[in-house]
Amino acid sequence: MARALVIVDFQNDFCPGGALPVPEGDRIAEHVNALAGSGAHDLVIATRDWHPPDHGSFREQGGIWPQHCVQGTPGAELHPALDRSKVHAVVDKGQDPQADGYSAFEGTGLAEMLRERGVDELEVVGLATDYCVKNTALDALRLGFRVKVHRAGVRGLEGSERALEELERAGATVS
Ligand code: VGL
Ligand code: ZN
């Protein structure tokens, strides 16, 4: 069986200076790069929040977020501090204008990609702990993957602790 590292939405718009900045979002880089380069994963995946310009989660469309991670814009690019040379595949999420698309499993084919490669265990890091990291990890647990979340590799919009507790209750390992 195989293990994958999933780096959730480590993008410019979720880092300081971006459109929807997560406090200290850029501070995960060192831990994430160390994990990606550790050789402990058979597959390293980076997800991108990848919204159409009229995504329903944007305030202009009646949603709750400022416009962020619009497909093809600099804000939607992976953060430059992420060592791309260790990333095997990029998975784009949040493309359906009508769906929140917080989870990297929503409409992406990620579960099939992982199963094809025999992955049964996921290590999850990235941004934001309380939205896309949480929803991705909860979906992974529901789908039957073992899930480990690295505290040093996540940051939240409203903090991380509540989401990490919820993930532990749902069966994830938090370290
Ligand atoms: C996210 C809010 C809106 C995330 C994405 O990546 O956690 N949060 N879109
Ligand atoms: Zn989004």
Side-chain angles (χ1 to χ4, degrees):
M1 297 310 256
R3 181 189 294 145
L5 177 67
V6 179
I7 304 163
V8 177
D9 298 1
F10 188 14
Q11 290 163 276
N12 291 326
D13 270 346
F14 293 125
C15 289
L20 181 45
V22 176
E24 299 187 345
D26 54 336
R27 301 269 290 269
I28 66 172
E30 200 178 336
H31 189 75
V32 169
N33 288 335
L35 272 175
S38 67
H41 307 93
D42 304 282
L43 185 63
V44 177
I45 292 170
T47 73
R48 295 189 298 192
D49 209 31
W50 197 248
H51 296 314
D54 61 346
H55 192 257
S57 77
F58 298 163
R59 281 180 196 138
E60 295 80 358
Q61 319 296 325
I64 62 171
W65 304 116
Q67 212 181 51
H68 64 277
C69 296
V70 174
Q71 298 167 0
T73 63
E77 285 172 19
L78 294 171
H79 192 274
L82 173 66
D83 181 358
R84 286 288 305 272
S85 73
K86 304 293 192 306
V87 174
H88 300 126
V90 175
V91 169
D92 292 332
K93 55 187 271 295
Q95 301 200 63
D96 178 350
Q98 313 302 339
D100 279 333
Y102 292 143
S103 166
F105 289 95
E106 217 178 299
T108 60
L110 176 59
E112 294 70 22
M113 181 195 292
L114 295 172
R115 287 191 180 124
E116 261 167 33
R117 296 169 197 246
V119 171
D120 63 335
E121 182 178 342
L122 298 186
E123 300 201 327
V124 183
V125 292
L127 308 172
T129 323
D130 37 354
Y131 289 92
C132 290
V133 170
K134 181 176 93 168
N135 283 278
T136 298
L138 287 174
D139 266 357
L141 289 163
R142 286 183 203 111
L143 289 161
F145 295 98
R146 283 187 292 153
V147 176
K148 183 170 170 182
V149 182
H150 290 253
R151 205 178 235 103
V154 297
R155 290 291 188 282
L157 278 163
E158 312 281 341
S160 291
E161 280 314 308
R162 271 181 53 180
L164 291 174
E165 282 165 19
E166 187 176 339
L167 286 171
E168 266 184 332
R169 281 196 302 273
T173 302
V174 177
S175 69

